[in-house]
Amino acid sequence: MVLKVKEGMTPQEIEEFTSHALLEMTLKEKVHLMSGYDFYKIFLKDRGKGRSVIPGGGLERLDIPPFRFIDGPRGVVIPGSTCFPVSMARGASWDITLEEEIGEVIGKEVRAHGGNLYGAPCINLLRHPAWGRAQETYGEDPYHLGELGSALSRGVQKHNVMATIKHFAANSIEYSRFKVNVVMNERTLREVYLPHFKKCIENGCATVMSAYNKINDKYCGHNAHLLREILKGDWQFKGYVHSDWMDGLYDTVAGIKGGLDVEMPRAKHYGKKLIKAVEKGEVSIDLIDDAARRIIWTVLRYTTKVDLQQYPPDLVGCEEHINLSRKVAEKSMVLLKNSNNLLPLEMNTLKKLAIFGRLADLKNTGDHGSSQVHQDNIITPLQGIKRFVEDKVEIIYNDGKDLEEIKNLSKNANAVIAVVGYTFRDEGEYVRQFIRKAGDRESLKLKERDKNLILAASEQNSNVIVVIVGGSAVILEQWIDNVKAILMAWYPGMEGGTALAEIIFGKVNPSGKLPFTIPKNESDLPFFKTHIDEIEYGYYHGYTLMEKKGIVPRFPFGFGLSYTQYEYSNLIVNTSEDSIKVSIDVSNIGKMPGEEVVQVYVGFEQSNIDRPKKLLKGFRKVFLNSNQTQKISIEIPKEELGWYNPETKMWEIEDIKYTIYVGSSSKEEDLISTEIIF
Ligand code: BGC
């Protein structure tokens, strides 16, 4: 062997090394690359203490580095790492630059722990808010998902760490994830459930994790249409596909023929069984070579760049990273209601503030599945507020069990903050081997005790602020009219309490916007069932469904209030051969500096086929001082207008008038528009 693995290999050297390696390797060595190993030993040793790095692949004889997996996406799961707000919160920040910064911090911490393969971004589309792992993804819209997921993987991959997009694809019912057959037509698959995966691949995301479920009768890990024709064929993905972990590969021959390159976390169907299948002629050696080539090439391409910096252990959970976690929480909380401008609270005039709810003083950063970041240093809402007000405001805390006491305490307080919502017991990853209460949510409403707490407090106090902790939409109809303010705080990470206090007292102006639609009724959503063998995913969900049916949601996709007001004017749209250039003046006409999420939608009202009324096709988060106006330019590549024609098997662009909408949410009244012809 002439070539050696070294830092800073050129693309050509990587190609040459990979080809030489394949010539030198035995079948056994190639197959060895194709699975994780030692998993159960590590797992058992590790139990309860968080995760260790899980290795796989690699070949010492030729210096081919193994991949060393660590999970995400809330941060790095190994104890002590920085715990960020969950991905759904980050989706609500609509901040691409911030997501890339998070990716960088995560990449550095992965390296400091000795890993080189990171288990995120999770970009499954939120079809229904009851999905238990909603918190791990970014929202309901494919364009938005693709932008956020790409940003995270770009950040992570700056540090010789491979990112993985998961779970490919249509994985969005937790209790049934191991068995459900998701049925959908080709247009729905290509236009709704896959574009975000494609975008991440185009942005260089190194690896793909297949999902447990089936699509159109084939397990995703065996699905040649998905893995071979679309991913590796149409999208020309050069990296490798690895299986999800709890037996995400179900059969040796079906897996390799379907396009699954690596079985994680151990060789159950690959390993010896795969060698046998090749020897018996059931599997061609070309398929093994293709998988081995992808693995070697990817590991070298993404983990051997010359390091820009060192990755010592004290990087993990350091002050700079914790500060970023706080900044993310500040930028992701969504102010849904603020009657009479109750918020921000004025510390000088406020004497007594009541804080209620069992969640107010709970370390509550999200589910306890594979994405749990083991971090003890967590600021709860109560701690954050107490620290913020010091001794300037009297704080009364009550967990909310005794409603008579709540009423009494509410009477004498100037304002009430009720912290309500969920914990890992209510929603999260369903892990069948362990007895845990998690999985999909049974109801989209708050629990009775939370509802009763809100109603009891609001009976006696007209200044009730509801803070919701959770990973996705909550139906608010039973109590929304009884309260003045509602703040969606998500699972806000280790510094969530600090960020919450800063928003409540106006040190920070809220700037988050909903990455999904909040309906008035569950019946406004697509059909969903937690325990189900087969389900059809239709072309419409979220805002596209509501707009198609003319249903008015409680809060639209992209909605969020601020302590200031923004005005949009001067919309100019120019088209060139391959893109649409949108320019708009955005002004902060209020008294406080703030950040606005400028959203661009393309309307397909004049389409000759069945299409959504409009779709998000661009956005930008901008900071504006009070009285400042900024011209914002957003470019939409022409191909974003395409639809997938299942008959021609091509993406096509209709020769029609399109409407360009620009504004602060997907609601018609929040948008200004103009028509264009391409
Ligand atoms: C989850 C993945 C995770 C893997 C390893 C699986 O059950 O679905 O998201 O990366 O476990 O922890």
Side-chain angles (χ1 to χ4, degrees):
M1 183 94 162
V2 196
L3 283 163
K4 284 237 166 301
V5 172
K6 57 174 197 262
E7 270 193 1
M9 289 171 91
T10 63
Q12 197 188 336
E13 284 170 338
I14 292 174
E15 294 289 349
E16 281 172 20
F17 177 91
T18 308
S19 301
H20 282 296
L22 285 174
L23 290 174
E24 292 225 351
M25 285 164 75
T26 63
L27 172 63
K28 198 173 159 199
E29 285 173 332
K30 289 173 190 167
V31 169
H32 171 79
L33 287 179
M34 295 172 63
S35 57
Y37 41 85
D38 275 351
F39 173 65
Y40 282 103
K41 235 199 272 162
I42 296 167
F43 188 71
L44 289 174
K45 203 176 100 208
D46 208 43
R47 219 170 173 153
K49 283 188 272 155
R51 299 282 176 102
S52 303
V53 172
I54 310 289
L59 186 64
E60 235 177 281
R61 182 171 79 81
L62 299 181
D63 275 346
I64 299 171
F67 41 81
R68 299 184 300 270
F69 181 90
I70 308 183
D71 234 319
R74 200 187 308 163
V76 176
V77 294
I78 293 180
S81 308
T82 307
C83 180
F84 287 100
V86 292
S87 305
M88 190 61 86
R90 283 140 49 188
S93 80
W94 294 62
D95 195 327
I96 300 303
T97 317
L98 191 66
E99 192 60 16
E100 194 164 329
E101 268 178 62
I102 297 169
E104 280 223 47
V105 163
I106 288 174
K108 289 178 198 173
E109 295 197 3
V110 167
R111 287 296 306 282
H113 285 299
N116 67 8
L117 173 59
Y118 181 57
C122 170
I123 52 167
N124 290 112
L125 177 137
L126 184 73
R127 173 179 173 271
H128 191 285
W131 177 36
R133 294 180 81 176
Q135 61 187 273
E136 286 189 57
T137 191
Y138 296 103
E140 73 175 38
D141 177 83
Y143 180 87
H144 173 265
L145 276 165
E147 293 295 312
L148 270 301
S150 299
L152 187 79
S153 66
R154 279 197 302 269
V156 166
Q157 293 192 171
K158 281 185 191 156
H159 297 278
N160 275 328
V161 174
M162 299 172 279
T164 196
I165 34 173
K166 67 187 191 185
H167 312 80
F168 192 61
N171 174 303
S172 43
I173 307 176
E174 204 41 28
Y175 281 123
S176 304
R177 63 176 172 158
F178 301 109
K179 60 168 186 183
V180 66
N181 180 27
V182 177
V183 177
M184 67 175 101
N185 66 32
E186 196 63 16
R187 265 195 81 193
T188 305
L189 179 68
R190 302 265 188 166
E191 292 181 36
V192 184
Y193 288 91
L194 295 188
H196 33 298
F197 285 99
K198 178 168 185 267
K199 187 171 282 168
C200 290
I201 300 295
E202 285 165 355
N203 271 273
C205 188
T207 71
V208 172
M209 183 189 285
S210 63
Y212 294 120
N213 51 283
K214 296 175 193 162
I215 293 185
N216 295 335
D217 300 321
K218 282 239 152 58
Y219 283 114
C220 291
H222 302 174
N223 200 317
H225 182 51
L226 205 57
L227 304 183
R228 292 209 177 274
E229 288 167 30
I230 298 180
L231 175 69
K232 296 177 177 177
D234 295 356
W235 303 350
Q236 295 176 18
F237 174 60
K238 298 267 175 297
Y240 65 84
V241 181
H242 51 126
S243 70
D244 203 344
W245 285 41
M246 273 176 288
D247 301 335
L249 169 63
Y250 302 82
D251 179 82
T252 309
V253 176
I256 186 71
K257 289 198 171 160
L260 189 94
D261 303 300
V262 174
E263 181 182 25
M264 286 299 274
R266 65 195 163 123
K268 184 174 169 193
H269 294 287
Y270 280 3
K272 283 184 188 142
K273 286 187 187 161
L274 186 54
I275 295 175
K276 250 200 199 124
V278 176
E279 286 166 353
K280 281 189 357 212
E282 289 167 3
V283 169
S284 127
I285 186 72
D286 293 350
L287 294 184
I288 306 292
D289 280 349
D290 178 59
R293 170 181 291 281
R294 287 170 179 278
I295 297 161
I296 303 168
W297 181 86
T298 309
V299 173
L300 296 184
R301 165 89 173 71
Y302 291 95
T303 72
T304 62
K305 297 183 291 272
V306 176
D307 270 331
L308 299 173
Q309 61 173 92
Q310 301 290 302
Y311 300 93
D314 58 5
L315 259 183
V316 174
C318 67
E319 203 183 325
E320 192 190 326
H321 295 184
I322 296 175
N323 287 340
L324 181 65
S325 177
R326 192 193 62 245
K327 187 166 141 192
V328 177
E330 291 168 358
K331 285 170 182 268
S332 57
M333 294 190 188
V334 184
L335 183 62
L336 293 172
K337 179 173 179 181
N338 195 17
S339 300
N340 304 345
N341 293 330
L342 173 63
L343 292 176
L345 294 179
E346 182 54 66
M347 203 148 49
N348 298 331
T349 54
L350 191 73
K351 290 208 173 69
K352 208 182 251 188
L353 177 63
I355 302 180
F356 297 149
R358 72 203 192 287
L359 301 189
D361 203 22
L362 192 74
K363 295 181 176 184
N364 188 12
T365 56
D367 88 334
H368 284 190
S370 62
S371 70
Q372 181 183 11
V373 173
H374 294 262
Q375 173 57 261
D376 293 325
N377 180 16
I378 293 155
I379 311 296
T380 68
L382 184 65
Q383 284 169 344
I385 293 171
K386 277 189 170 166
R387 271 194 204 176
F388 192 89
V389 301
E390 296 174 329
D391 54 3
K392 295 186 196 89
V393 178
E394 187 189 341
I395 303 287
I396 311 162
Y397 170 64
N398 187 288
D399 69 5
K401 275 194 202 124
D402 183 339
L403 293 180
E404 286 314 309
E405 210 175 330
I406 290 297
K407 287 182 194 166
N408 281 335
L409 294 173
S410 300
K411 246 185 242 166
N412 302 319
N414 303 108
V416 170
I417 298 177
V419 184
V420 298
Y422 309 113
T423 70
F424 70 94
R425 293 180 199 282
D426 308 304
E427 56 179 355
E429 183 176 354
Y430 168 61
V431 187
R432 66 181 161 192
Q433 279 89 339
F434 305 101
I435 305 156
R436 278 195 189 127
K437 178 73 194 87
D440 305 306
R441 251 185 308 157
E442 300 300 339
S443 160
L444 296 182
K445 295 183 188 128
L446 286 181
K447 297 203 163 133
E448 278 298 294
R449 62 176 180 225
D450 281 344
K451 183 191 80 183
N452 293 338
L453 166 67
I454 295 170
L455 294 178
S458 56
E459 202 181 293
Q460 300 297 333
N461 192 304
S462 56
N463 289 332
V464 174
I465 301 149
V466 175
V467 171
I468 303 176
V469 181
S472 120
V474 178
I475 291 187
L476 316 165
E477 300 309 303
Q478 293 168 304
W479 49 268
I480 186 165
D481 294 332
N482 299 54
V483 304
K484 281 252 171 73
I486 305 174
L487 188 64
M488 186 74 202
W490 314 107
Y491 295 108
M494 63 193 296
E495 277 288 310
T498 315
L500 181 71
E502 289 170 341
I503 289 180
I504 284 181
F505 289 98
K507 185 175 170 200
V508 168
N509 191 350
S511 62
K513 303 258 189 178
L514 288 176
F516 48 69
T517 314
I518 299 189
K520 287 187 183 153
N521 303 301
E522 195 153 348
S523 55
D524 299 340
L525 297 166
F527 171 75
F528 181 87
K529 200 163 169 230
T530 53
H531 294 86
I532 193 163
D533 292 330
E534 184 164 304
I535 187 168
E536 184 167 0
Y537 280 14
Y539 186 57
Y540 294 100
H541 71 284
Y543 69 89
T544 62
L545 180 67
M546 302 225 180
E547 290 182 358
K548 199 73 183 174
K549 285 192 174 170
I551 297 169
V552 180
R554 170 52 70 178
F555 292 113
F557 176 78
F559 175 82
L561 299 170
S562 160
Y563 295 153
T564 189
Q565 297 83 45
Y566 302 100
E567 204 172 70
Y568 287 72
S569 59
N570 222 358
L571 170 62
I572 300 170
V573 180
N574 286 310
T575 54
S576 67
E577 209 176 300
D578 45 19
S579 73
I580 304 170
K581 292 189 177 73
V582 179
S583 119
I584 185 100
D585 291 347
V586 187
S587 309
N588 179 348
I589 55 166
K591 293 205 178 67
M592 211 187 214
E595 285 185 282
E596 167 69 324
V597 179
V598 181
Q599 300 164 41
V600 183
Y601 295 84
V602 176
F604 304 97
E605 295 91 341
Q606 323 227 359
S607 171
N608 300 312
I609 47 170
D610 181 25
R611 295 188 85 170
K613 186 166 184 304
K614 64 177 186 300
L615 285 173
L616 180 76
K617 289 296 175 193
F619 61 88
R620 173 92 43 81
K621 192 159 190 171
V622 282
F623 172 83
L624 292 167
N625 270 315
S626 168
N627 291 323
Q628 189 190 347
T629 298
Q630 213 178 300
K631 191 172 278 309
I632 308 298
S633 303
I634 294 176
E635 191 165 348
I636 305 170
K638 189 176 177 182
E639 68 246 24
E640 287 286 350
L641 304 190
W643 71 287
Y644 185 79
N645 185 339
E647 269 159 33
T648 59
K649 297 198 163 101
M650 303 279 279
W651 285 87
E652 292 176 9
I653 295 184
E654 288 186 278
D655 196 6
I656 51 165
K657 275 189 189 161
Y658 295 91
T659 317
I660 303 298
Y661 297 92
V662 185
S664 61
S665 91
S666 64
K667 187 161 102 191
E668 197 110 10
E669 298 86 308
D670 290 341
L671 297 163
I672 51 178
S673 67
T674 184
E675 281 187 346
I676 57 150
I677 312 181
F678 237 116

